[in-house]
Amino acid sequence: GINAAYMGADKISSFGFYTAIVLNFIVISLGSVWGQDTLNWCGQKFGAEDGGYCTTMTYFALYCLGIAHVVMSVARVFAFGMSNAPRMWRMTAPTSDEPVTQLSRIGTMVFGMAANFMTIYVIGYLICSVLALKDHYLYFFHLFDLIQRNALLKNTLRALKKYTLSLMATSLLWFLILYSFALVGHAWLPDHFPEDKKTLWEFVTFTMDFGLTGSMGDLLDGDKDRTNYRMVYDMAHFALSSVVMTSIVSGIIIDAFGASRDKDQEVNEDQSNNCFICSQPAAAFDRAGTKFTNHYHQQHNMWNYIFLLAYLELKDPNEYTGIESYLADQLANESVEFFPIGRSLEPIGGEMKFEE
């Protein structure tokens, strides 16, 4: 049942994504031909008098596809809950002899799912799908589902996630620098700012808005006398904000991508040159005249071990056999002693190392 829910959620996600692409294409077409004023509530519920029959049918297709997208979004939320609720329920199982009420477990499960990012995402996905029936421009949100469907994009964002604190600290420093420039400008160079900027808050918002995108010297009044204060102000802003802080942020992002690339390369090399289960190098099998590919895909197929772990997790503990009880205890104690590390039924490096 859980596997079926996972597969169902994946298929619904695919259909919803392709439907969102078609919906955005229709929105772009209608918005380009008839403008923004006609692109609301499906042309005032298929009226679209200015566009004629063709436009009316296009709005009708937009409305029908929108309804279908809402249905798929509801089904996606349901499938997501069906595939994740059993896992969360097992995670709330008591780990000690202290009694735990069912209501307490339910509350813990609901809280855990509500705090999960994917739960928030699929619910937001559904809300945007419903609201897009009225405001069709909201279909743009559903295109971001590409991130969930593309492993490369997921790895890219995962690399940036590790540097979130560094980026936040750098952004705070950048904010303080721009805030300082706003205070200096309001105190000593108020005539050089636009005439409609009078209050300190307006100076701050102006500096935050335009100071991030370019040099303040290009934005301030060039007709004023360029005093030494103005020259120092422009050069300091260019050096600190446009050069130093931009370089720091770019460096953090480049380091994040570089570290992610190196880690992926290391993992790929390890998977290509070593057995995932017994950790023996491929060269050892080659020296013994054993094909490493046969060993990797047949005797020590990692997916067989994954299926075994899933089987133990889904099976009732009261029905465990002796070996299954032993494996369950090993997993509960976070032990990997049952893995045949350094052992194989096949000869390794000219010597026979049999699994016990």
Side-chain angles (χ1 to χ4, degrees):
I2 297 178
N3 292 334
Y6 271 117
M7 295 177 62
D10 184 66
K11 291 182 179 179
I12 294 171
S13 175
S14 299
F15 286 130
F17 178 71
Y18 295 132
T19 303
I21 293 177
V22 176
L23 287 167
N24 277 275
F25 178 76
I26 296 175
V27 169
I28 292 174
S29 302
L30 292 174
S32 300
V33 175
W34 304 112
Q36 183 176 1
D37 294 336
T38 61
L39 191 58
N40 56 78
W41 192 225
C42 291
Q44 299 301 324
K45 208 65 175 291
F46 321 130
E49 293 85 356
D50 296 336
Y53 176 78
C54 182
T55 305
T56 300
M57 294 304 298
T58 305
Y59 275 114
F60 178 73
L62 178 63
Y63 181 75
C64 292
L65 285 176
I67 293 295
H69 194 268
V70 171
V71 173
M72 286 185 285
S73 300
V74 173
R76 182 176 182 178
V77 173
F78 179 77
F80 176 81
M82 290 292 295
S83 60
N84 286 272
R87 177 177 60 86
M88 294 297 299
W89 179 257
R90 289 193 298 272
M91 291 177 62
T92 60
T95 57
S96 62
D97 296 334
E98 297 181 2
V100 178
T101 63
Q102 294 292 90
L103 182 61
S104 176
R105 290 187 64 183
I106 293 175
T108 304
M109 182 188 70
V110 172
F111 178 79
M113 292 193 65
N116 185 283
F117 171 78
M118 282 305 301
T119 303
I120 299 174
Y121 175 76
V122 295
I123 293 177
Y125 190 95
L126 172 60
I127 293 175
C128 287
S129 180
V130 174
L131 296 178
L133 292 174
K134 181 69 175 180
D135 189 352
H136 309 307
Y137 291 104
L138 288 175
Y139 284 122
F140 82 90
F141 175 81
H142 304 95
L143 296 180
F144 286 98
D145 208 33
L146 177 66
I147 299 175
Q148 294 295 328
R149 302 177 54 79
N150 189 286
L152 181 60
L153 290 176
K154 292 176 69 174
N155 291 334
T156 300
L157 294 181
R158 191 179 295 114
L160 288 177
K161 182 180 179 180
K162 297 180 180 179
Y163 290 80
T164 301
L165 294 179
S166 298
L167 289 173
M168 291 179 60
T170 306
S171 300
L172 178 60
L173 176 59
W174 204 341
F175 170 82
L176 294 177
I177 290 174
L178 293 177
Y179 177 71
S180 302
F181 276 97
L183 294 179
V184 172
H186 186 265
W188 290 290
L189 298 171
D191 296 337
H192 293 257
F193 279 74
E195 296 181 356
D196 58 336
K197 307 301 178 185
K198 302 296 183 181
T199 65
L200 178 58
W201 176 250
E202 292 175 339
F203 273 64
V204 171
T205 55
F206 178 83
T207 305
M208 295 295 173
D209 189 11
F210 298 101
L212 289 172
T213 58
S215 175
M216 291 292 293
D218 299 331
L219 302 171
L220 301 183
D221 192 349
D223 296 333
K224 299 292 183 181
D225 295 335
R226 296 186 63 83
T227 62
N228 293 333
Y229 293 110
R230 172 65 186 279
M231 180 183 67
V232 172
Y233 184 87
D234 293 346
M235 292 180 62
H237 179 273
F238 175 77
L240 293 176
S241 180
S242 302
V243 177
V244 175
M245 297 308 302
T246 303
S247 300
I248 292 176
V249 173
S250 300
I252 293 175
I253 296 175
I254 293 174
D255 288 344
F257 290 153
S260 176
R261 179 193 58 198
D262 294 341
K263 182 177 180 180
D264 291 341
Q265 183 178 356
E266 181 182 354
V267 170
N268 291 333
E269 291 180 355
D270 182 75
Q271 290 181 344
S272 301
N273 300 322
N274 298 282
C275 176
F276 183 80
I277 301 300
C278 66
S279 301
Q280 289 295 323
F285 292 94
D286 295 337
R287 288 194 301 267
T290 303
K291 290 186 178 181
F292 177 70
T293 54
N294 293 339
H295 168 84
Y296 187 84
H297 292 290
Q298 295 179 10
Q299 184 177 133
H300 282 172
N301 190 318
M302 63 178 179
W303 293 111
N304 290 338
Y305 285 81
I306 296 296
F307 295 151
L308 174 62
L309 299 181
Y311 169 78
L312 293 175
E313 184 177 359
L314 297 176
K315 187 175 181 179
D316 187 352
N318 296 323
E319 299 179 358
Y320 281 165
T321 63
I323 296 178
E324 292 173 350
S325 298
Y326 167 77
L327 293 176
D329 292 338
Q330 292 288 309
L331 294 174
N333 296 325
E334 299 183 354
S335 173
V336 293
E337 292 183 358
F338 64 92
F339 275 90
I341 300 176
R343 295 171 292 169
S344 174
L345 290 176
E346 300 167 322
I348 301 177
E351 299 179 0
M352 295 293 291
K353 296 183 179 180
F354 293 98
E355 293 183 0
E356 296 179 1

